[in-house]
């Protein structure tokens, strides 16, 4: 039975475990690479994702994000190596992988001639669900995705945000344990984008679903992801939490506010030439270089205490993901874009990721 028909608070996950490993360092569970002609799209990547988390693959245009999703969802094959999703090999057990996953591609797979409710019923039929169960499930999903009032209107009348919410709801009819979202908020306005973020976070927190998210939106990765991998020119150039990635590059500092010039002058002498007065302030704020860690903060506090200097306030400032992205992908010469069309300009000619409906139909054949 689909988990949306059970009480959310009664649902428990199977525990923390690695469901996906793509490793170029070991012979098993790896993608050695993927090329189209003389264009190498993936050049050996290593990814491990835990159950019940949001993992974000962040990268510029043409980095290989969509190709990675296509391989993991069994739509195309890697040129070498192996990878597994939920313990199922994507090359030798495609059926096992497809029973486990749901895919929402860059473009919504909604039939605009049908109503929102009819689209959900269609997905129930594709998944061979009993009609009564499908009707109950559709009602639950329409309520969860705030589509009750528009449920019986043609999908062609839906806004972009409503269409995207319906698209995600359709993905959940198959009760996936792992959901692949390939740039799901491209083209949406900021309000709709945040609405989708709340839905995604709710799926993880309430139902233990695992989400593999590709995005060009730095704010999206920072807001949603438990871990982020930065992909550039087919290689993983960095991986970690948002906080860990921000500490990888220089520019972090601790700001110390003072109430008068004597304390400021004493602090400048204590910290030496590396401490600078912050521009654009009242001239009473000092910036001391730091990696943003607890140890460096403690060291600053120790200096102030040893010199008997009174600080009015202390705050830690680290580089944001924009700084991380531009530093780590500097060789690509590309930056995240706001329009969906720009996302395809530099990509090799690879098949477009089909929607959840396409995968379900292919599975039925």
């Amino acid at each position: 039975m689909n988990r949306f028909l059970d009480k959310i608070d009664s649902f428990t996950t199977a525990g923390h475990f690695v469901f996906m490993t793509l490793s170029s360092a070991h012979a098993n569970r790896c993608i050695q690479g993927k090329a189209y002609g003389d264009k190498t799209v993936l050049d050996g990547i290593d990814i491990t994702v835990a159950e019940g988390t949001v993992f974000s693959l962040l990268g510029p245009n043409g980095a290989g994000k969509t190709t990675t999703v296509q391989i993991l969802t069994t739509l195309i094959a890697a040129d070498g190596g192996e990878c597994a999703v939920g313990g199922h090999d994507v090359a030798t057990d495609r059926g096992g992988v497809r029973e486990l996953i749901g895919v929402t591609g860059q473009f919504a797979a909604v039939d605009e001639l049908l109503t929102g409710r009819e689209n959900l019923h269609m997905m129930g039929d594709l998944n061979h669900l009993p009609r009564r169960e499908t009707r109950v499930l559709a009602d639950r999903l329409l309520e969860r995705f705030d589509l009750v009032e528009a449920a019986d209107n043609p999908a062609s009348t839906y806004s972009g945000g409503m269409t995207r919410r319906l698209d995600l709801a359709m993905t959940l009819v198959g009760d996936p344990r792992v959901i692949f979202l390939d740039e799901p908020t491209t083209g949406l306005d900021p309000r709709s984008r945040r609405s989708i973020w709340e839905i995604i976070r709710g799926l993880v927190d309430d139902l233990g679903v695992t989400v593999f998210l590709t995005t060009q939106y730095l704010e999206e990765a920072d807001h949603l992801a438990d871990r982020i991998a930065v992909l550039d020119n087919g290689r993983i150039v960095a991986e970690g939490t948002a906080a860990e990635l921000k500490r990888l590059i220089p520019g972090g500092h601790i700001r110390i506010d003072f109430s008068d010039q004597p304390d400021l002058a004493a602090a400048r002498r204590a910290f030496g030439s590396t401490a600078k007065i912050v521009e654009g302030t009242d001239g009473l704020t000092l910036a001391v270089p730091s990696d943003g860690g607890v140890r460096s903060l403690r060291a600053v506090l120790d200096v102030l205490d040893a010199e008997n200097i009174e600080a009015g306030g202390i705050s830690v400032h680290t580089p944001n993901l924009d700084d991380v992205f531009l530093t780590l992908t500097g060789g690509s010469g590309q930056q995240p874009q706001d329009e969906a069309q720009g996302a395809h300009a530099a990509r090799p000619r690879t098949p477009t990721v089909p929607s959840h409906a396409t995968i379900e139909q292919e599975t039925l054949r």
Side-chain angles (χ1 to χ4, degrees), residues 307-342:
E307 298 294 331
N308 197 28
I309 301 172
E310 187 71 25
I314 296 179
S315 58
V316 178
H317 291 255
T318 58
N320 57 32
L321 273 186
D322 295 60
D323 301 322
V324 174
F325 186 94
L326 293 174
T327 300
L328 296 179
T329 65
S332 68
Q334 299 181 44
Q335 299 182 23
Q337 299 185 18
D338 290 334
E339 297 299 329
Q341 290 181 347

PDB file of all heavy atoms in Angstrom, residues 307-342:
ATOM      1  N   GLU A 307      44.114  40.327  26.385  1.00  0.00           N
ATOM      2  CA  GLU A 307      44.437  41.754  26.293  1.00  0.00           C
ATOM      3  C   GLU A 307      43.421  42.613  27.028  1.00  0.00           C
ATOM      4  O   GLU A 307      43.514  43.845  26.988  1.00  0.00           O
ATOM      5  CB  GLU A 307      44.500  42.172  24.818  1.00  0.00           C
ATOM      6  CG  GLU A 307      45.561  41.461  24.009  1.00  0.00           C
ATOM      7  CD  GLU A 307      46.967  41.821  24.450  1.00  0.00           C
ATOM      8  OE1 GLU A 307      47.164  42.962  24.944  1.00  0.00           O
ATOM      9  OE2 GLU A 307      47.862  40.960  24.333  1.00  0.00           O
ATOM     10  N   ASN A 308      42.440  41.958  27.658  1.00  0.00           N
ATOM     11  CA  ASN A 308      41.407  42.679  28.409  1.00  0.00           C
ATOM     12  C   ASN A 308      40.688  43.713  27.536  1.00  0.00           C
ATOM     13  O   ASN A 308      40.486  44.863  27.936  1.00  0.00           O
ATOM     14  CB  ASN A 308      42.026  43.352  29.638  1.00  0.00           C
ATOM     15  CG  ASN A 308      40.956  43.741  30.659  1.00  0.00           C
ATOM     16  OD1 ASN A 308      39.898  43.119  30.741  1.00  0.00           O
ATOM     17  ND2 ASN A 308      41.229  44.800  31.426  1.00  0.00           N
ATOM     18  N   ILE A 309      40.324  43.279  26.333  1.00  0.00           N
ATOM     19  CA  ILE A 309      39.631  44.150  25.379  1.00  0.00           C
ATOM     20  C   ILE A 309      38.156  43.795  25.372  1.00  0.00           C
ATOM     21  O   ILE A 309      37.790  42.620  25.222  1.00  0.00           O
ATOM     22  CB  ILE A 309      40.213  43.992  23.952  1.00  0.00           C
ATOM     23  CG1 ILE A 309      41.706  44.335  23.955  1.00  0.00           C
ATOM     24  CG2 ILE A 309      39.463  44.864  22.968  1.00  0.00           C
ATOM     25  CD1 ILE A 309      42.396  44.022  22.637  1.00  0.00           C
ATOM     26  N   GLU A 310      37.305  44.783  25.536  1.00  0.00           N
ATOM     27  CA  GLU A 310      35.863  44.566  25.576  1.00  0.00           C
ATOM     28  C   GLU A 310      35.279  44.702  24.170  1.00  0.00           C
ATOM     29  O   GLU A 310      35.433  45.741  23.525  1.00  0.00           O
ATOM     30  CB  GLU A 310      35.199  45.587  26.509  1.00  0.00           C
ATOM     31  CG  GLU A 310      33.730  45.341  26.746  1.00  0.00           C
ATOM     32  CD  GLU A 310      33.467  44.112  27.615  1.00  0.00           C
ATOM     33  OE1 GLU A 310      34.367  43.740  28.402  1.00  0.00           O
ATOM     34  OE2 GLU A 310      32.373  43.533  27.502  1.00  0.00           O
ATOM     35  N   ALA A 311      34.614  43.644  23.696  1.00  0.00           N
ATOM     36  CA  ALA A 311      33.971  43.669  22.378  1.00  0.00           C
ATOM     37  C   ALA A 311      32.469  43.840  22.537  1.00  0.00           C
ATOM     38  O   ALA A 311      31.853  43.236  23.421  1.00  0.00           O
ATOM     39  CB  ALA A 311      34.268  42.393  21.616  1.00  0.00           C
ATOM     40  N   GLY A 312      31.884  44.664  21.664  1.00  0.00           N
ATOM     41  CA  GLY A 312      30.443  44.867  21.712  1.00  0.00           C
ATOM     42  C   GLY A 312      29.660  43.740  21.071  1.00  0.00           C
ATOM     43  O   GLY A 312      28.515  43.466  21.433  1.00  0.00           O
ATOM     44  N   GLY A 313      30.266  43.048  20.117  1.00  0.00           N
ATOM     45  CA  GLY A 313      29.602  41.932  19.440  1.00  0.00           C
ATOM     46  C   GLY A 313      30.571  41.216  18.532  1.00  0.00           C
ATOM     47  O   GLY A 313      31.541  41.811  18.040  1.00  0.00           O
ATOM     48  N   ILE A 314      30.333  39.930  18.342  1.00  0.00           N
ATOM     49  CA  ILE A 314      31.196  39.115  17.481  1.00  0.00           C
ATOM     50  C   ILE A 314      30.320  38.274  16.562  1.00  0.00           C
ATOM     51  O   ILE A 314      29.319  37.687  16.999  1.00  0.00           O
ATOM     52  CB  ILE A 314      32.110  38.188  18.315  1.00  0.00           C
ATOM     53  CG1 ILE A 314      33.076  39.015  19.166  1.00  0.00           C
ATOM     54  CG2 ILE A 314      32.888  37.242  17.412  1.00  0.00           C
ATOM     55  CD1 ILE A 314      33.997  38.177  20.030  1.00  0.00           C
ATOM     56  N   SER A 315      30.670  38.210  15.285  1.00  0.00           N
ATOM     57  CA  SER A 315      29.928  37.388  14.331  1.00  0.00           C
ATOM     58  C   SER A 315      30.901  36.730  13.358  1.00  0.00           C
ATOM     59  O   SER A 315      31.947  37.300  13.031  1.00  0.00           O
ATOM     60  CB  SER A 315      28.896  38.229  13.565  1.00  0.00           C
ATOM     61  OG  SER A 315      29.525  39.304  12.887  1.00  0.00           O
ATOM     62  N   VAL A 316      30.545  35.521  12.925  1.00  0.00           N
ATOM     63  CA  VAL A 316      31.384  34.756  12.001  1.00  0.00           C
ATOM     64  C   VAL A 316      30.827  34.899  10.592  1.00  0.00           C
ATOM     65  O   VAL A 316      29.633  34.691  10.364  1.00  0.00           O
ATOM     66  CB  VAL A 316      31.433  33.265  12.400  1.00  0.00           C
ATOM     67  CG1 VAL A 316      32.271  32.476  11.400  1.00  0.00           C
ATOM     68  CG2 VAL A 316      31.998  33.112  13.808  1.00  0.00           C
ATOM     69  N   HIS A 317      31.665  35.253   9.644  1.00  0.00           N
ATOM     70  CA  HIS A 317      31.255  35.412   8.253  1.00  0.00           C
ATOM     71  C   HIS A 317      32.060  34.448   7.387  1.00  0.00           C
ATOM     72  O   HIS A 317      33.287  34.432   7.432  1.00  0.00           O
ATOM     73  CB  HIS A 317      31.485  36.850   7.783  1.00  0.00           C
ATOM     74  CG  HIS A 317      30.568  37.847   8.429  1.00  0.00           C
ATOM     75  ND1 HIS A 317      29.505  38.411   7.787  1.00  0.00           N
ATOM     76  CD2 HIS A 317      30.555  38.346   9.696  1.00  0.00           C
ATOM     77  CE1 HIS A 317      28.869  39.234   8.610  1.00  0.00           C
ATOM     78  NE2 HIS A 317      29.493  39.205   9.779  1.00  0.00           N
ATOM     79  N   THR A 318      31.345  33.631   6.618  1.00  0.00           N
ATOM     80  CA  THR A 318      31.997  32.692   5.707  1.00  0.00           C
ATOM     81  C   THR A 318      31.574  33.005   4.280  1.00  0.00           C
ATOM     82  O   THR A 318      30.513  33.598   4.056  1.00  0.00           O
ATOM     83  CB  THR A 318      31.616  31.239   6.036  1.00  0.00           C
ATOM     84  OG1 THR A 318      30.189  31.107   5.966  1.00  0.00           O
ATOM     85  CG2 THR A 318      32.100  30.849   7.421  1.00  0.00           C
ATOM     86  N   PRO A 319      32.356  32.598   3.276  1.00  0.00           N
ATOM     87  CA  PRO A 319      31.956  32.806   1.887  1.00  0.00           C
ATOM     88  C   PRO A 319      30.625  32.104   1.616  1.00  0.00           C
ATOM     89  O   PRO A 319      30.315  31.078   2.224  1.00  0.00           O
ATOM     90  CB  PRO A 319      33.093  32.143   1.095  1.00  0.00           C
ATOM     91  CG  PRO A 319      34.264  32.164   2.020  1.00  0.00           C
ATOM     92  CD  PRO A 319      33.690  31.976   3.391  1.00  0.00           C
ATOM     93  N   ASN A 320      29.812  32.649   0.721  1.00  0.00           N
ATOM     94  CA  ASN A 320      28.561  31.991   0.372  1.00  0.00           C
ATOM     95  C   ASN A 320      28.778  31.014  -0.773  1.00  0.00           C
ATOM     96  O   ASN A 320      29.891  30.901  -1.322  1.00  0.00           O
ATOM     97  CB  ASN A 320      27.481  33.018   0.015  1.00  0.00           C
ATOM     98  CG  ASN A 320      27.896  33.935  -1.127  1.00  0.00           C
ATOM     99  OD1 ASN A 320      28.644  33.521  -2.028  1.00  0.00           O
ATOM    100  ND2 ASN A 320      27.419  35.165  -1.109  1.00  0.00           N
ATOM    101  N   LEU A 321      27.722  30.293  -1.163  1.00  0.00           N
ATOM    102  CA  LEU A 321      27.868  29.292  -2.216  1.00  0.00           C
ATOM    103  C   LEU A 321      28.207  29.907  -3.563  1.00  0.00           C
ATOM    104  O   LEU A 321      28.802  29.236  -4.414  1.00  0.00           O
ATOM    105  CB  LEU A 321      26.587  28.455  -2.331  1.00  0.00           C
ATOM    106  CG  LEU A 321      26.484  27.241  -1.412  1.00  0.00           C
ATOM    107  CD1 LEU A 321      25.239  26.437  -1.728  1.00  0.00           C
ATOM    108  CD2 LEU A 321      27.714  26.344  -1.519  1.00  0.00           C
ATOM    109  N   ASP A 322      27.826  31.162  -3.776  1.00  0.00           N
ATOM    110  CA  ASP A 322      28.228  31.829  -5.016  1.00  0.00           C
ATOM    111  C   ASP A 322      29.750  31.875  -5.110  1.00  0.00           C
ATOM    112  O   ASP A 322      30.331  31.579  -6.169  1.00  0.00           O
ATOM    113  CB  ASP A 322      27.682  33.262  -5.058  1.00  0.00           C
ATOM    114  CG  ASP A 322      26.169  33.308  -5.105  1.00  0.00           C
ATOM    115  OD1 ASP A 322      25.549  32.783  -4.157  1.00  0.00           O
ATOM    116  OD2 ASP A 322      25.623  33.863  -6.065  1.00  0.00           O
ATOM    117  N   ASP A 323      30.395  32.244  -3.995  1.00  0.00           N
ATOM    118  CA  ASP A 323      31.856  32.297  -3.967  1.00  0.00           C
ATOM    119  C   ASP A 323      32.453  30.915  -4.193  1.00  0.00           C
ATOM    120  O   ASP A 323      33.421  30.754  -4.949  1.00  0.00           O
ATOM    121  CB  ASP A 323      32.340  32.847  -2.615  1.00  0.00           C
ATOM    122  CG  ASP A 323      31.812  34.237  -2.325  1.00  0.00           C
ATOM    123  OD1 ASP A 323      31.727  35.046  -3.265  1.00  0.00           O
ATOM    124  OD2 ASP A 323      31.459  34.508  -1.165  1.00  0.00           O
ATOM    125  N   VAL A 324      31.864  29.911  -3.545  1.00  0.00           N
ATOM    126  CA  VAL A 324      32.352  28.534  -3.703  1.00  0.00           C
ATOM    127  C   VAL A 324      32.224  28.091  -5.155  1.00  0.00           C
ATOM    128  O   VAL A 324      33.171  27.558  -5.747  1.00  0.00           O
ATOM    129  CB  VAL A 324      31.561  27.576  -2.789  1.00  0.00           C
ATOM    130  CG1 VAL A 324      31.958  26.130  -3.060  1.00  0.00           C
ATOM    131  CG2 VAL A 324      31.779  27.929  -1.331  1.00  0.00           C
ATOM    132  N   PHE A 325      31.050  28.326  -5.739  1.00  0.00           N
ATOM    133  CA  PHE A 325      30.789  27.880  -7.107  1.00  0.00           C
ATOM    134  C   PHE A 325      31.763  28.514  -8.086  1.00  0.00           C
ATOM    135  O   PHE A 325      32.367  27.838  -8.918  1.00  0.00           O
ATOM    136  CB  PHE A 325      29.349  28.234  -7.484  1.00  0.00           C
ATOM    137  CG  PHE A 325      28.908  27.693  -8.812  1.00  0.00           C
ATOM    138  CD1 PHE A 325      28.252  26.474  -8.887  1.00  0.00           C
ATOM    139  CD2 PHE A 325      29.142  28.388  -9.983  1.00  0.00           C
ATOM    140  CE1 PHE A 325      27.843  25.966 -10.102  1.00  0.00           C
ATOM    141  CE2 PHE A 325      28.742  27.886 -11.205  1.00  0.00           C
ATOM    142  CZ  PHE A 325      28.085  26.673 -11.265  1.00  0.00           C
ATOM    143  N   LEU A 326      31.917  29.827  -8.011  1.00  0.00           N
ATOM    144  CA  LEU A 326      32.772  30.537  -8.960  1.00  0.00           C
ATOM    145  C   LEU A 326      34.234  30.163  -8.786  1.00  0.00           C
ATOM    146  O   LEU A 326      34.989  30.110  -9.762  1.00  0.00           O
ATOM    147  CB  LEU A 326      32.585  32.045  -8.795  1.00  0.00           C
ATOM    148  CG  LEU A 326      31.211  32.578  -9.185  1.00  0.00           C
ATOM    149  CD1 LEU A 326      31.092  34.054  -8.850  1.00  0.00           C
ATOM    150  CD2 LEU A 326      30.946  32.359 -10.667  1.00  0.00           C
ATOM    151  N   THR A 327      34.642  29.872  -7.545  1.00  0.00           N
ATOM    152  CA  THR A 327      36.027  29.481  -7.306  1.00  0.00           C
ATOM    153  C   THR A 327      36.305  28.069  -7.819  1.00  0.00           C
ATOM    154  O   THR A 327      37.293  27.824  -8.517  1.00  0.00           O
ATOM    155  CB  THR A 327      36.360  29.551  -5.801  1.00  0.00           C
ATOM    156  OG1 THR A 327      36.175  30.897  -5.348  1.00  0.00           O
ATOM    157  CG2 THR A 327      37.796  29.124  -5.549  1.00  0.00           C
ATOM    158  N   LEU A 328      35.411  27.138  -7.491  1.00  0.00           N
ATOM    159  CA  LEU A 328      35.652  25.728  -7.830  1.00  0.00           C
ATOM    160  C   LEU A 328      35.409  25.423  -9.289  1.00  0.00           C
ATOM    161  O   LEU A 328      35.969  24.468  -9.828  1.00  0.00           O
ATOM    162  CB  LEU A 328      34.763  24.827  -6.965  1.00  0.00           C
ATOM    163  CG  LEU A 328      35.041  24.867  -5.462  1.00  0.00           C
ATOM    164  CD1 LEU A 328      34.080  23.951  -4.724  1.00  0.00           C
ATOM    165  CD2 LEU A 328      36.484  24.468  -5.166  1.00  0.00           C
ATOM    166  N   THR A 329      34.543  26.179  -9.962  1.00  0.00           N
ATOM    167  CA  THR A 329      34.243  25.922 -11.375  1.00  0.00           C
ATOM    168  C   THR A 329      34.797  27.032 -12.255  1.00  0.00           C
ATOM    169  O   THR A 329      34.307  27.258 -13.348  1.00  0.00           O
ATOM    170  CB  THR A 329      32.733  25.790 -11.613  1.00  0.00           C
ATOM    171  OG1 THR A 329      32.100  27.059 -11.331  1.00  0.00           O
ATOM    172  CG2 THR A 329      32.131  24.730 -10.732  1.00  0.00           C
ATOM    173  N   GLY A 330      35.823  27.699 -11.782  1.00  0.00           N
ATOM    174  CA  GLY A 330      36.369  28.835 -12.522  1.00  0.00           C
ATOM    175  C   GLY A 330      36.846  28.471 -13.905  1.00  0.00           C
ATOM    176  O   GLY A 330      36.784  29.267 -14.843  1.00  0.00           O
ATOM    177  N   GLY A 331      37.308  27.229 -14.082  1.00  0.00           N
ATOM    178  CA  GLY A 331      37.809  26.830 -15.394  1.00  0.00           C
ATOM    179  C   GLY A 331      36.735  26.650 -16.431  1.00  0.00           C
ATOM    180  O   GLY A 331      37.002  26.600 -17.623  1.00  0.00           O
ATOM    181  N   SER A 332      35.470  26.511 -16.002  1.00  0.00           N
ATOM    182  CA  SER A 332      34.406  26.265 -16.960  1.00  0.00           C
ATOM    183  C   SER A 332      33.954  27.525 -17.653  1.00  0.00           C
ATOM    184  O   SER A 332      33.381  27.480 -18.741  1.00  0.00           O
ATOM    185  CB  SER A 332      33.199  25.636 -16.257  1.00  0.00           C
ATOM    186  OG  SER A 332      32.601  26.568 -15.369  1.00  0.00           O
ATOM    187  N   GLY A 333      34.189  28.659 -17.006  1.00  0.00           N
ATOM    188  CA  GLY A 333      33.775  29.921 -17.591  1.00  0.00           C
ATOM    189  C   GLY A 333      32.291  30.110 -17.645  1.00  0.00           C
ATOM    190  O   GLY A 333      31.789  30.954 -18.365  1.00  0.00           O
ATOM    191  N   GLN A 334      31.542  29.326 -16.889  1.00  0.00           N
ATOM    192  CA  GLN A 334      30.090  29.431 -16.907  1.00  0.00           C
ATOM    193  C   GLN A 334      29.570  29.645 -15.500  1.00  0.00           C
ATOM    194  O   GLN A 334      30.158  29.199 -14.537  1.00  0.00           O
ATOM    195  CB  GLN A 334      29.457  28.164 -17.487  1.00  0.00           C
ATOM    196  CG  GLN A 334      29.880  27.902 -18.919  1.00  0.00           C
ATOM    197  CD  GLN A 334      29.214  26.653 -19.452  1.00  0.00           C
ATOM    198  OE1 GLN A 334      28.035  26.440 -19.243  1.00  0.00           O
ATOM    199  NE2 GLN A 334      29.966  25.830 -20.116  1.00  0.00           N
ATOM    200  N   GLN A 335      28.450  30.327 -15.409  1.00  0.00           N
ATOM    201  CA  GLN A 335      27.809  30.569 -14.132  1.00  0.00           C
ATOM    202  C   GLN A 335      26.401  30.037 -14.182  1.00  0.00           C
ATOM    203  O   GLN A 335      25.843  29.814 -15.258  1.00  0.00           O
ATOM    204  CB  GLN A 335      27.780  32.076 -13.826  1.00  0.00           C
ATOM    205  CG  GLN A 335      29.169  32.700 -13.737  1.00  0.00           C
ATOM    206  CD  GLN A 335      29.077  34.164 -13.385  1.00  0.00           C
ATOM    207  OE1 GLN A 335      28.103  34.623 -12.817  1.00  0.00           O
ATOM    208  NE2 GLN A 335      30.102  34.914 -13.731  1.00  0.00           N
ATOM    209  N   PRO A 336      25.781  29.819 -13.013  1.00  0.00           N
ATOM    210  CA  PRO A 336      24.395  29.380 -12.998  1.00  0.00           C
ATOM    211  C   PRO A 336      23.515  30.382 -13.728  1.00  0.00           C
ATOM    212  O   PRO A 336      23.755  31.579 -13.681  1.00  0.00           O
ATOM    213  CB  PRO A 336      24.056  29.345 -11.500  1.00  0.00           C
ATOM    214  CG  PRO A 336      25.364  29.219 -10.824  1.00  0.00           C
ATOM    215  CD  PRO A 336      26.330  29.959 -11.670  1.00  0.00           C
ATOM    216  N   GLN A 337      22.498  29.875 -14.411  1.00  0.00           N
ATOM    217  CA  GLN A 337      21.601  30.731 -15.158  1.00  0.00           C
ATOM    218  C   GLN A 337      20.202  30.607 -14.614  1.00  0.00           C
ATOM    219  O   GLN A 337      19.849  29.640 -13.961  1.00  0.00           O
ATOM    220  CB  GLN A 337      21.615  30.364 -16.647  1.00  0.00           C
ATOM    221  CG  GLN A 337      22.999  30.539 -17.274  1.00  0.00           C
ATOM    222  CD  GLN A 337      22.957  30.295 -18.762  1.00  0.00           C
ATOM    223  OE1 GLN A 337      21.896  30.330 -19.380  1.00  0.00           O
ATOM    224  NE2 GLN A 337      24.101  30.033 -19.336  1.00  0.00           N
ATOM    225  N   ASP A 338      19.367  31.602 -14.936  1.00  0.00           N
ATOM    226  CA  ASP A 338      18.014  31.640 -14.403  1.00  0.00           C
ATOM    227  C   ASP A 338      16.994  31.087 -15.373  1.00  0.00           C
ATOM    228  O   ASP A 338      15.842  30.878 -15.018  1.00  0.00           O
ATOM    229  CB  ASP A 338      17.626  33.081 -14.049  1.00  0.00           C
ATOM    230  CG  ASP A 338      18.395  33.575 -12.838  1.00  0.00           C
ATOM    231  OD1 ASP A 338      18.809  32.731 -12.029  1.00  0.00           O
ATOM    232  OD2 ASP A 338      18.569  34.779 -12.722  1.00  0.00           O
ATOM    233  N   GLU A 339      17.368  30.878 -16.604  1.00  0.00           N
ATOM    234  CA  GLU A 339      16.398  30.426 -17.595  1.00  0.00           C
ATOM    235  C   GLU A 339      16.684  29.001 -18.013  1.00  0.00           C
ATOM    236  O   GLU A 339      17.829  28.589 -18.172  1.00  0.00           O
ATOM    237  CB  GLU A 339      16.442  31.337 -18.838  1.00  0.00           C
ATOM    238  CG  GLU A 339      16.049  32.772 -18.537  1.00  0.00           C
ATOM    239  CD  GLU A 339      14.628  32.891 -18.017  1.00  0.00           C
ATOM    240  OE1 GLU A 339      13.791  32.071 -18.406  1.00  0.00           O
ATOM    241  OE2 GLU A 339      14.352  33.789 -17.220  1.00  0.00           O
ATOM    242  N   ALA A 340      15.634  28.230 -18.204  1.00  0.00           N
ATOM    243  CA  ALA A 340      15.780  26.818 -18.556  1.00  0.00           C
ATOM    244  C   ALA A 340      16.490  26.650 -19.888  1.00  0.00           C
ATOM    245  O   ALA A 340      17.264  25.734 -20.084  1.00  0.00           O
ATOM    246  CB  ALA A 340      14.403  26.151 -18.610  1.00  0.00           C
ATOM    247  N   GLN A 341      16.241  27.545 -20.867  1.00  0.00           N
ATOM    248  CA  GLN A 341      16.837  27.378 -22.181  1.00  0.00           C
ATOM    249  C   GLN A 341      18.354  27.457 -22.099  1.00  0.00           C
ATOM    250  O   GLN A 341      19.071  26.760 -22.796  1.00  0.00           O
ATOM    251  CB  GLN A 341      16.306  28.455 -23.126  1.00  0.00           C
ATOM    252  CG  GLN A 341      14.839  28.254 -23.470  1.00  0.00           C
ATOM    253  CD  GLN A 341      14.341  29.308 -24.433  1.00  0.00           C
ATOM    254  OE1 GLN A 341      14.999  30.309 -24.664  1.00  0.00           O
ATOM    255  NE2 GLN A 341      13.181  29.074 -24.989  1.00  0.00           N
ATOM    256  N   GLY A 342      18.867  28.332 -21.226  1.00  0.00           N
ATOM    257  CA  GLY A 342      20.306  28.458 -21.095  1.00  0.00           C
ATOM    258  C   GLY A 342      20.943  27.195 -20.584  1.00  0.00           C
ATOM    259  O   GLY A 342      22.111  26.959 -20.792  1.00  0.00           O
TER     260      GLY A 342
END
